[in-house]
């Protein structure tokens, strides 16, 4: 009973705060169409790692984030903001106690938007499907308008676009690539239509094997498949990096006679990506920039 | 049956994502390497796993005196998984062999606890035991899932839950020989297991060292399960369906039936793995998934068929 009262109280506070700023409504693009927000939020709860990443870059006032974002570069944010559940399961009471003006959900928490809207205005900022970069930059611009940091958002976008151009130039004419995710002893391959596919499409990086199905969790393949495809470059994401082994586990998994025979391995053209940046916070402007830096460094070092 | 197994193994050697023709073996050193590094280890791993799991299943069924149990329905797999998760979190740098030992110890404790539980269930209610086992396994699995969610290891846990052989190469499966060896060792105790299957009182009357046989059985079942989980992942139904199929034809004299049980387990699993490699070529469907479909159908038939007989 007590928490229902708190929710009601919080909702009325939120309504009051929104009412005060009614004068300048902000219309922003979300994953579910354009949403009209009453004004600039002063207290935001963020339930998505990519959104937290971009909002932090814009120095937005973030009051609450999930207790685990799994990304090293967001640790500062986690230390400052209050914990509000997990990426999948928001802690509704903790959020209500914070009395936010706006709740930003997305990705893993997108299914909870309706429930969250009972506490404060909630928007779904999921980045999914075609044109990953286009969507991510659109989110960046929306957040810029939302927080009154348009100039900063423009700077970030310009820096990212410049880096993207450099990366595109760096991979041009260097051969094809295959994106692999290792998980313990097993390996799956990701194609251009997958969640990591923007590395192929945005960078014009040819696929070693075309028409890999656009599956969320990749296609399980054997090491023979990698050997037969013989990619020029291997781009590796280590799913088990969360347990603090860095890329070591992935390197051990791939270090075998079959992978050793590929062009990529022989010429040491193997690029390891930070799993937190490309996987958990993928779509965040800092995370995407970091991923591009890893690609640039990898292609500069290899073969 | 030996002939059929050889035939399947032969097919398995020449099915895979890289093209390999028998003729190329004589001329092409790369083809030989592929055979030695990938195809032979994979075929051996499937055969060893199938045989050992089926043998572990039949031993478990005799010890608990119930046809509807296997390591997958008695919490053994889940206990091994908990152990694996614990060492992954506590000592991530531990080599594979150490992780296997930890998983085995945990499986051992889990199985022993289940046998204690099962003893309190009246034998005249045969379906209660597998039900209790499923609940017990579910509780253990819930603990494992909770820990995995908290540490973002749910997908890592997931790979051990669907048993498959795509990652098998020379140097990555050799511990399965140990599982195969254990199954072979259990063959020498087959007669003792058969007597133990008659119950504690009868066994003691016949002069069997019941406690020792029980202990040996638990150790065998737990070690086999843990070794299989750590190298390939969970393979449900292998230990359940195969012994039942064989026992319908050959009865419960383990001395005679154990080789057939092991051979059938190996052959069926290999068939499933070959299908998994071919159905979505060049991608793979886990052998555990293919066997799960087949096993679930047979298991349902056994449950429903039993009621029909009264």
């Amino acid at each position: 009973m007590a928490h229902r009262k708190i929710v009601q109280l919080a909702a009325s506070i939120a309504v009051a705060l929104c009412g005060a700023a009614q004068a300048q409504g902000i219309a922003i693009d979300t994953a579910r169409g354009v949403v009209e927000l009453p004004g600039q939020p002063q207290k935001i709860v963020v339930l998505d790692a990519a959104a937290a990443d971009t909002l932090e870059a814009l120095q937005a006032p973030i009051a609450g984030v999930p207790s685990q974002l799994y990304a090293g570069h967001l640790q500062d944010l986690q230390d400052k903001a209050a914990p509000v559940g997990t990426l999948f399961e928001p802690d509704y009471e903790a959020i209500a106690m914070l009395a936010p003006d706006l709740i930003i959900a997305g990705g893993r928490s997108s299914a909870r938007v309706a429930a969250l809207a009972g506490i404060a205005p909630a928007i779904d900022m999921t980045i999914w499907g075609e044109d990953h970069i286009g969507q991510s930059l659109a989110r960046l611009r929306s957040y810029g308008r939302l927080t009154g940091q348009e100039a900063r958002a423009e700077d970030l976008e310009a820096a990212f676009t410049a880096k993207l151009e450099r990366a595109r130039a760096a991979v041009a004419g260097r051969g094809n690539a295959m994106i692999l995710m290792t998980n313990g002893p097993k390996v799956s391959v990701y194609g251009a239509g997958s969640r990591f596919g923007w590395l192929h499409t945005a960078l014009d990086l040819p696929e070693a094997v075309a028409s890999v199905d656009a599956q969320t969790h990749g296609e399980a393949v054997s090491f023979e498949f990698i050997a037969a495809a013989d990619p020029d470059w291997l781009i590796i994401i280590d799913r088990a990096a969360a347990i603090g082994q860095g890329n070591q586990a992935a390197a051990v998994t791939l270090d075998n006679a079959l992978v050793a025979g590929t062009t990529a391995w022989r010429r040491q053209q193997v690029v390891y990506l930070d799993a937190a940046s490309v996987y958990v916070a993928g779509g965040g402007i800092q995370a995407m920039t970091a991923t591009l830096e890893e690609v640039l460094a990898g292609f500069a070092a290899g073969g | 049956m030996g002939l059929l197994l050889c035939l399947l193994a032969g097919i398995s050697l020449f099915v895979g994502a890289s093209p390999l023709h028998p003729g190329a073996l004589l001329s092409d050193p790369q083809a030989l390497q592929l055979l030695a590094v990938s195809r032979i280890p994979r075929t051996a791993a499937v055969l060893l796993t199938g045989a050992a799991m089926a043998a572990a299943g039949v031993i478990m069924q005799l010890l608990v005196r119930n046809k509807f149990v296997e390591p997958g329905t008695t919490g053994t797999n889940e206990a091994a998984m908990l152990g694996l998760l614990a060492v992954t979190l506590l000592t991530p740098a531990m080599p594979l062999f150490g992780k296997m030992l930890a998983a085995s110890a945990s499986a051992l404790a889990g199985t022993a606890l289940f046998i204690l539980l099962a003893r309190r269930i009246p034998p005249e209610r045969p379906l209660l035991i597998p039900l209790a086992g499923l609940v017990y396994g579910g509780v253990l699995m819930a603990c494992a899932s909770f820990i995995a969610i908290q540490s973002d290891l749910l997908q890592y846990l997931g790979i051990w839950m669907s048993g498959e052989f795509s990652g098998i190469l020379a140097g990555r499966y050799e511990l399965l020989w140990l599982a195969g060896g254990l199954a072979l060792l259990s063959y020498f105790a087959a007669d003792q297991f058969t007597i133990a299957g008659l119950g504690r009182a009868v066994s003691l009357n016949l002069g069997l060292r019941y406690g020792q046989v029980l202990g040996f059985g638990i150790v065998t079942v737990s070690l086999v399960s843990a070794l299989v989980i750590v190298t390939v992942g969970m393979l449900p139904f292998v230990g359940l369906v195969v012994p039942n199929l064989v026992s319908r034809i050959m009865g419960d004299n383990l001395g005679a039936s154990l080789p057939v049980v092991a051979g059938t387990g190996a052959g069926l699993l290999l068939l499933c793995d070959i299908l998994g490699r071919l159905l979505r070529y060049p991608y793979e469907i886990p052998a555990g998934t293919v066997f799960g479909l087949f096993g679930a159908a047979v298991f349902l038939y056994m449950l429903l068929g039993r009621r029909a007989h009264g």
Side-chain angles (χ1 to χ4, degrees), chain A residues 162-184:
Chain A
K163 192 148 277 173
L164 186 66
E165 279 312 313
R166 272 180 54 214
R168 204 198 303 255
V171 307
R174 304 288 297 276
N176 60 35
M178 179 179 268
I179 305 174
L180 296 177
M181 181 183 263
T182 66
N183 196 354

Side-chain angles (χ1 to χ4, degrees), chain B residues 15-72:
Chain B
V15 170
S18 297
L20 178 67
H21 297 291
L25 289 178
L26 300 171
S27 54
D28 186 0
Q30 267 195 319
L32 269 180
Q33 192 217 20
L34 186 68
L35 198 67
V37 170
S38 173
R39 298 293 165 80
I40 292 176
R42 183 167 184 158
T43 307
V46 180
L47 291 173
L48 285 168
T49 303
M53 292 284 289
V58 77
I59 293 169
M60 191 85 198
Q61 287 170 10
L62 283 174
L63 293 183
V64 187
R65 301 182 66 197
N66 189 299
K67 289 259 175 240
F68 292 103
V69 299
E70 62 144 0

Side-chain angles (χ1 to χ4, degrees), chain A residues 149-165:
Chain A
Q149 298 279 9
E150 284 98 335
R152 193 181 290 275
E154 271 170 34
D155 289 349
L156 286 167
E157 181 171 350
F160 175 80
T161 314
K163 192 148 277 173
L164 186 66
E165 279 312 313

Side-chain angles (χ1 to χ4, degrees), chain A residues 49-50 53-54 57 71 73-74 132 160 198 273-294:
Chain A
D53 174 297
T54 303
H73 69 282
L74 297 177
H132 181 89
F160 175 80
W198 64 275
L273 299 183
D274 174 37
S277 288
V278 75
Y279 187 83
V280 186
I285 193 70
Q286 302 180 67
M288 287 204 305
T289 307
T291 300
L292 283 182
E293 268 159 19
E294 284 169 333

Side-chain angles (χ1 to χ4, degrees), chain A residues 70 219 224 245 252-253 279, chain B residues 38-39 92 152 155 172 280:
Chain A
Y70 306 105
E219 287 277 6
E224 282 183 24
Q245 291 171 297
V252 169
T253 301
Y279 187 83
Chain B
S38 173
R39 298 293 165 80
D152 193 32
Q155 285 183 32
R172 304 249 162 116
R280 293 205 57 216

Side-chain angles (χ1 to χ4, degrees), chain B:
Chain B
M1 195 177 74
L3 204 67
L4 208 62
L5 264 181
C6 288
L7 185 72
L8 276 172
I11 294 172
S12 166
L13 288 181
F14 294 100
V15 170
S18 297
L20 178 67
H21 297 291
L25 289 178
L26 300 171
S27 54
D28 186 0
Q30 267 195 319
L32 269 180
Q33 192 217 20
L34 186 68
L35 198 67
V37 170
S38 173
R39 298 293 165 80
I40 292 176
R42 183 167 184 158
T43 307
V46 180
L47 291 173
L48 285 168
T49 303
M53 292 284 289
V58 77
I59 293 169
M60 191 85 198
Q61 287 170 10
L62 283 174
L63 293 183
V64 187
R65 301 182 66 197
N66 189 299
K67 289 259 175 240
F68 292 103
V69 299
E70 62 144 0
T73 58
T74 54
T76 307
N77 285 345
E78 287 82 1
M81 195 90 91
L82 260 179
L84 189 66
L85 200 58
V87 280
T88 305
L89 281 170
L90 298 176
T91 57
M94 187 185 263
L96 191 62
F97 193 73
K99 284 185 180 164
M100 284 199 186
L101 279 182
S104 309
S106 170
L108 208 64
T111 313
L113 196 62
F114 175 73
I115 298 223
L116 283 179
L117 274 174
R119 279 188 170 181
R120 293 174 166 266
I121 297 169
E124 62 271 15
R125 309 277 305 273
L127 286 179
L128 266 186
I129 290 182
L131 279 178
L134 286 171
V135 172
Y136 173 65
V139 170
L140 293 180
M141 198 63 226
C143 296
S145 302
F146 178 76
I147 298 169
I149 286 177
Q150 292 300 314
S151 49
D152 193 32
L153 283 176
L154 206 54
Q155 285 183 32
Y156 183 71
L157 199 63
I159 63 160
W160 308 108
M161 280 164 65
S162 75
E164 58 156 332
F165 297 88
S166 70
I168 295 292
L169 288 173
R172 304 249 162 116
Y173 80 105
E174 278 73 4
L175 279 158
L176 288 175
W177 287 102
L178 204 62
L182 278 167
L184 193 66
L185 204 63
S186 70
Y187 179 62
F188 295 108
D191 291 335
Q192 271 98 317
F193 283 131
T194 309
I195 298 171
L198 300 172
R200 184 166 183 273
V202 179
S203 308
L204 289 175
N205 269 338
L206 290 171
L208 186 76
R209 292 186 175 178
Y210 184 73
Q212 275 182 15
V213 174
L214 189 70
F216 175 66
I218 294 175
V219 169
T220 307
V221 169
S222 309
L223 282 178
V224 165
S225 304
L227 290 167
V228 167
I229 282 196
V230 180
T231 21
V232 294
M234 269 193 198
L235 288 162
F237 291 117
V238 180
L240 181 68
V241 164
V242 176
N244 274 291
L245 285 177
V246 174
S247 117
R248 293 212 162 186
I249 301 161
M250 294 189 64
D252 285 339
N253 182 358
L254 206 53
S257 68
L258 192 59
V260 182
V261 168
T264 310
L268 280 177
L269 192 60
L270 189 55
L271 187 67
C272 290
D273 186 49
I274 293 173
L275 279 177
R277 271 181 270 175
L278 287 175
L279 286 174
R280 293 205 57 216
Y281 182 88
Y283 311 111
E284 304 215 359
I285 300 173
T289 308
V290 182
F291 199 101
L293 277 174
F294 164 75
V298 176
F299 187 50
L300 277 177
Y301 171 77
M302 288 188 323
L303 281 177
L304 299 175
R306 197 185 156 77
R307 176 172 290 175
H309 291 300

